């Protein structure tokens, strides 16, 4: 007697005809205690609370060799009383309310688990067809609720090859500084996903255009500045550093350490730039300085020792 809808990224991936894992996310009208009872009656090998205060119950089905995991969350609304990113959760919501709290329209689509009916109040299917990342509702409000969404937008551009809706991009630029509220470790995780995407060049350019690069990776602000301004009045080697970096990233194998090394390989050039008597531009010692920058930056972001070592050697 309860409603049950498949929701989230798996719906998006199904509509994109992409392969998806056996782990599924659902939304339901049922309170958590009823959800847990129904899952046990349905034959789950185990059930567990993922975060009852957020209304989520997890369950595992099948033998280890054929295991699938699901998470079912009660319809909810979230109220953000201040500038922390921890909301107060209210469970007096409908499916439409629940979808309205999500980040982007392509992730705000639900499929009825019994009938297969698609519920799409925010036009996510159309945006998928148009290859567009568009915030649900008012973009600035979505980013204020959770500034990590700023990086998620750029990451989806990188992973899916989509473009940004113009209102969403404008709001990202206005809200870029709010990314400082997010932990460095979570920023690192999103940036790594972006760097290993098939369209990492587009995702990185989103970071540059919106100012997120300066907030998330201030060590690279010199590269971004030279991409936007001809500081010396000449078009020389320093003008091409950002474009060159982007090309190196996209040509590198999509493994985290390799892509991070590609992104940072010329990071020290703006700091070591000099002009000889003959007018030639030089970057003496940029490899040594850059290795130190890479180690310090990745340590600041909470990267593990192995990644720091592999990138900076």
């Amino acid at each position: 007697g309860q409603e049950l809808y498949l929701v989230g990224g798996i719906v998006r991936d199904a509509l994109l005809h992409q392969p998806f894992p056996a782990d599924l996310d659902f939304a339901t009208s049922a309170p958590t205690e009823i959800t847990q009872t129904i899952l046990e009656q349905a034959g789950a090998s185990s059930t567990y609370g993922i975060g009852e205060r957020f209304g989520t119950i997890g369950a595992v089905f099948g033998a280890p060799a054929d295991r699938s995991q699901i998470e079912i969350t009660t319809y909810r609304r979230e109220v953000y009383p201040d500038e922390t990113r921890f909301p107060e959760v209210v469970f007096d919501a409908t499916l439409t309310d629940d979808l309205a709290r999500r980040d982007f329209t392509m992730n705000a689509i639900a499929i009825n688990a019994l009938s297969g009916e698609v519920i799409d109040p925010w036009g996510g299917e159309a945006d998928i067809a148009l290859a567009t990342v568009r915030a649900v509702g008012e973009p600035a409000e979505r980013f204020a609720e959770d500034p990590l969404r700023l990086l998620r937008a750029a990451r989806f551009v990188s992973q899916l090859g989509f473009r940004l809706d113009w209102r969403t991009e404008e709001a990202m630029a206005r809200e870029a500084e709010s990314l400082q509220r997010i932990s460095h470790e979570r920023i690192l995780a999103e940036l790594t996903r972006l760097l290993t995407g098939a369209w990492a060049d587009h995702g990185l350019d989103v970071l540059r255009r919106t100012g997120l690069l300066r907030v998330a990776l201030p060590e690279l602000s010199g590269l971004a500045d030279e991409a936007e301004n001809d500081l010396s009045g000449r078009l020389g080697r320093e003008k091409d550093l950002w474009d060159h970096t982007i090309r190196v990233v996209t040509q590198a194998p999509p493994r985290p350490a390799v892509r991070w090394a590609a992104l940072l390989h010329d990071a020290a050039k703006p700091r070591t730039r000099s002009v000889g008597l003959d007018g030639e531009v030089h970057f003496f010692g940029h490899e040594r300085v850059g290795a130190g920058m890479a180690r310090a930056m990745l340590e600041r972001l909470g990267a593990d020792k192995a990644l720091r070592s592999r990138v900076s050697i």
Side-chain angles (χ1 to χ4, degrees):
Q2 301 289 341
E3 298 175 0
L4 185 68
Y5 287 86
L6 191 65
V7 293
I10 195 166
V11 175
R12 177 198 68 234
D13 291 345
L15 293 170
L16 285 167
H17 306 290
Q18 293 186 352
F20 46 83
D23 297 348
L24 307 176
D25 291 322
F26 291 90
T28 183
S29 58
T32 54
E33 60 273 13
I34 293 178
T35 296
Q36 185 158 358
T37 298
I38 293 174
L39 287 170
E40 291 169 352
Q41 293 172 348
S45 56
S46 65
T47 62
Y48 49 92
I50 296 174
E52 283 90 340
R53 80 184 187 95
F54 292 111
T56 302
I57 300 293
V60 176
F61 287 87
D66 190 32
R67 173 184 173 279
S68 64
Q69 180 174 314
I70 69 171
E71 295 181 5
I72 302 181
T73 303
T74 304
Y75 298 156
R76 65 192 189 190
R77 293 185 299 112
E78 294 170 353
V79 179
Y80 293 77
D82 54 44
E83 290 194 350
T84 71
R85 64 174 310 276
F86 299 105
E88 294 179 359
V89 179
V90 181
F91 295 106
D92 60 351
T94 65
L95 174 64
T96 301
D97 294 330
D98 189 85
L99 295 176
R101 70 178 179 81
R102 297 175 186 269
D103 51 7
F104 306 109
T105 59
M106 62 183 177
N107 297 330
I109 308 170
I111 295 178
N112 187 294
L114 288 178
S115 69
E117 177 190 9
V118 174
I119 306 299
D120 182 19
W122 297 99
E125 278 195 282
D127 283 335
I128 289 173
L130 293 170
T132 299
V133 177
R134 187 190 313 273
V136 171
E138 177 52 49
E141 293 179 6
R142 300 291 80 74
F143 296 132
E145 289 168 353
D146 183 356
L148 190 66
R149 290 170 172 172
L150 296 162
L151 289 185
R152 280 171 58 83
R155 189 246 294 179
F156 283 128
V157 169
S158 172
Q159 290 182 325
L160 302 176
F162 283 17
R163 65 176 181 85
L164 284 175
D165 159 65
W166 69 269
R167 292 180 64 246
T168 299
E169 181 166 346
E170 283 190 346
M172 289 171 66
R174 292 195 304 270
E175 299 293 326
E177 292 295 328
S178 67
L179 187 65
Q180 296 181 62
R181 291 162 41 195
I182 302 301
S183 72
H184 291 156
E185 290 78 9
R186 300 188 75 207
I187 290 174
L188 175 68
E190 285 297 327
L191 290 175
T192 301
R193 294 186 186 105
L194 184 156
L195 278 175
T196 53
W199 291 272
D201 51 340
H202 297 289
L204 287 168
D205 209 48
V206 166
L207 297 184
R208 182 188 62 80
R209 293 198 314 263
T210 58
L212 285 165
L213 188 73
R214 291 188 178 87
V215 180
L217 299 172
E219 297 85 352
L220 298 184
S221 58
L223 294 181
D225 289 340
E226 290 180 350
E228 296 168 5
N229 304 293
D230 182 13
L231 300 178
S232 64
R234 298 187 301 270
L235 293 178
R237 288 166 58 195
E238 68 274 22
K239 181 68 174 177
D240 299 325
L241 285 177
W242 178 254
D243 289 341
H244 166 71
T245 297
I246 295 295
R247 288 195 299 272
V248 173
V249 169
T250 56
Q251 292 169 13
R255 299 194 298 272
V258 179
R259 285 284 174 95
W260 273 109
L263 178 67
L264 300 176
H265 82 283
D266 274 349
K269 279 190 172 181
R271 297 188 183 186
T272 58
R273 178 182 179 275
S274 63
V275 181
L277 295 176
D278 58 356
E280 185 70 18
V281 176
H282 302 284
F283 306 100
F284 295 122
H286 79 90
E287 300 94 340
R288 175 180 52 80
V289 176
M293 288 177 61
R295 280 192 297 270
M297 188 201 74
L298 290 171
E299 185 173 4
R300 175 180 64 79
L301 290 173
D304 59 54
K305 185 176 180 180
L307 180 62
R308 299 198 307 266
S309 176
R310 293 182 65 194
V311 170
S312 61
I313 59 173

